[in-house]
Amino acid sequence: MLRLAFVTGTQAGKWFRRFQDTTAHGGLFTIDADDSMAELLSGNVDVALMRLPDGRVDDSFHVVRLYEETPGIAVPKDSVYAEAGEALALADVSDEHLNYQLTDSGEVDIAAVREALQVVAANVGIAIAPLPLLKILSKKQVVPLALTGSEVPVTEIALVWRKSHDNEAIQDFVGIAKGRTARSSRQEKPKRTAREKAKTKQSRKIVNNPLQKPKKRPKQRKRR
């Protein structure tokens, strides 16, 4: 069984389903965590779907970067920004009270983001964080919008695991996350029985030649 922790703000359900349906590694155990790297370091999981940058990731880990996150800004529901519903630049909100923003390196404190959004929901100020994270955490009184501008740090979502603990299950999950399909010869598939293989072979013959009728079995003579 593969054990995986996925950081808040990621929605990897389709990868989980594909891994369980197309591989034979004993299933998948997942943890939703604000700090998926901490779960990996403690040995609770084999691999972490996490947000980069993270100063704890060093040369002892494999890192597969999957995608960049759009920067975002959370504004009060009743603000003029929410009514416009358009992407904002930092210059547009320069006069607003800033409850939270990413560090210069781009690291995110999810607990601090949660607290900041409570203040935004009270119609006070704004919060800057990755847009997918804001969409997950924002309540009804908060509207998350995209934030533009090169001065905003960009975060990335990546799969991270220890080099010393590399295995086929992790490699198969990485392949699925990167778009490998179930037909890939590199991916370990569930073993089929001889009967299942025979049925598949017969169905292919019928599809290839729909006019061909299945052969009838010869009648057996009754013994007297």
Side-chain angles (χ1 to χ4, degrees):
M1 174 176 287
L2 179 65
R3 303 172 302 161
L4 182 146
F6 60 102
V7 69
T8 305
T10 56
Q11 296 176 306
K14 62 180 180 180
W15 297 339
F16 299 161
R17 290 190 296 271
R18 198 172 301 163
F19 180 85
Q20 292 176 318
D21 292 343
T22 62
T23 67
H25 297 296
L28 179 66
F29 171 77
T30 62
I31 301 174
D32 182 359
D34 282 356
D35 190 349
S36 56
M37 183 61 178
E39 299 292 337
L40 179 62
L41 291 173
S42 65
N44 291 334
V45 297
D46 307 304
V47 60
L49 181 64
M50 60 181 295
R51 184 172 286 109
L52 298 178
D54 189 309
R56 295 168 293 181
V57 179
D58 56 28
D59 292 340
S60 65
F61 295 94
H62 284 301
V63 178
V64 174
R65 300 172 188 270
L66 299 175
Y67 60 89
E68 291 185 350
E69 293 183 297
T70 301
I73 180 170
V75 300
K77 181 181 178 180
D78 296 330
S79 66
V80 294
Y81 311 114
E83 292 178 4
E86 298 178 351
L88 298 172
L90 286 178
D92 298 326
V93 293
S94 58
D95 294 333
E96 299 293 333
H97 177 72
L98 188 58
N99 296 303
Y100 180 84
Q101 66 175 339
L102 288 76
T103 65
D104 292 339
S105 64
E107 293 190 10
V108 182
D109 183 339
I110 296 180
V113 174
R114 292 179 189 274
E115 294 179 4
L117 290 177
Q118 293 179 1
V119 180
V120 177
N123 204 29
V124 179
I126 59 174
I128 296 173
L131 184 58
L133 178 61
L134 294 178
K135 287 182 176 180
I136 291 291
L137 299 182
S138 294
K139 305 300 181 182
K140 293 182 179 180
Q141 299 303 316
V142 177
V143 175
L145 301 171
L147 184 63
T148 62
S150 57
E151 67 271 34
V152 182
V154 175
T155 53
E156 291 182 286
I157 297 300
L159 286 168
V160 178
W161 68 100
R162 294 184 185 276
K163 292 180 179 179
S164 58
H165 294 170
D166 198 9
N167 57 53
E168 289 185 1
I170 295 176
Q171 289 297 329
D172 277 350
F173 189 88
V174 171
I176 288 170
K178 295 186 70 176
R180 188 189 305 164
T181 66
R183 294 183 178 181
S184 172
S185 60
R186 292 183 57 195
Q187 187 164 298
E188 184 179 340
K189 303 175 180 64
K191 295 181 179 179
R192 297 183 300 165
T193 64
R195 185 176 181 181
E196 290 173 334
K197 292 179 181 178
K199 284 184 177 180
T200 301
K201 187 175 181 180
Q202 182 63 30
S203 64
R204 286 176 181 171
K205 287 182 179 180
I206 294 173
V207 171
N208 293 334
N209 188 2
L211 298 179
Q212 181 181 352
K213 297 181 179 180
K215 293 181 180 180
K216 295 182 179 180
R217 293 182 178 179
K219 293 182 179 180
Q220 294 181 352
R221 294 181 180 180
K222 294 181 179 179
R223 293 182 180 178
R224 293 180 181 179

